[in-house]
Amino acid sequence: QVQLVESGGGSVQAGGSLRLSCEASGYKSRHNCMGWFRQAPGKEREGVGGVYIDGGSPVYADSVKGRFTISQDNVNGTVYLQMNSLKPEDTAMYYCAAKSPCWSVSLVPAYFNYWSQGSQVTVSS
């Protein structure tokens, strides 16, 4: 059973930055993917970015390209989402999710089988 512990989030003004962390444990496969998603009130959950663990280049949704960056710390099994130049429309609950086993990244929520508890990100204008 894969477990995901997410941390970070909070409230910032537009133009500010935040970083989310997602520590994963319990992988039984060597091939895994991690995705970041967000869901604003009254809207569907949408993919923000994703990465193949331990070797892939991240992919991003058009809405966050150039502002958000996914990175990995392979020693402690943590994936980070660095969010810069935040906008009010980035306000949402953010989740990390894992797909295991996995050989290619997707930004479709239904593709992932393990989810974190979520963190609120609020950006004020």
Side-chain angles (χ1 to χ4, degrees):
Q1 181 80 358
V2 177
Q3 293 188 324
L4 303 175
V5 178
E6 183 180 343
S7 60
S11 298
V12 294
Q13 290 191 326
S17 298
L18 286 172
R19 189 177 79 161
L20 301 177
S21 301
C22 184
E23 183 176 356
S25 61
Y27 286 127
K28 288 182 165 47
S29 171
R30 294 179 58 188
H31 305 283
N32 308 289
C33 299
M34 180 77 73
W36 287 97
F37 298 84
R38 65 186 182 187
Q39 187 166 19
K43 294 189 176 182
E44 292 188 355
R45 190 167 296 189
E46 64 170 342
V48 173
V51 67
Y52 177 78
I53 301 296
D54 291 347
S57 296
V59 296
Y60 301 97
D62 288 343
S63 58
V64 305
K65 276 182 184 176
R67 300 188 299 121
F68 290 12
T69 303
I70 293 173
S71 61
Q72 305 181 53
D73 182 337
N74 297 331
V75 174
N76 62 23
T78 300
V79 176
Y80 302 95
L81 180 67
Q82 178 68 42
M83 303 181 290
N84 298 330
S85 302
L86 283 162
K87 305 175 181 179
E89 51 264 44
D90 294 318
T91 295
M93 185 72 78
Y94 282 71
Y95 302 87
C96 62
K99 168 69 173 174
S100 180
C102 174
W103 287 269
S104 62
V105 181
S106 170
L107 296 185
V108 176
Y111 184 73
F112 290 81
N113 43 8
Y114 302 98
W115 289 84
S116 69
Q117 78 280 12
S119 296
Q120 178 66 39
V121 171
T122 302
V123 185
S124 58
S125 58

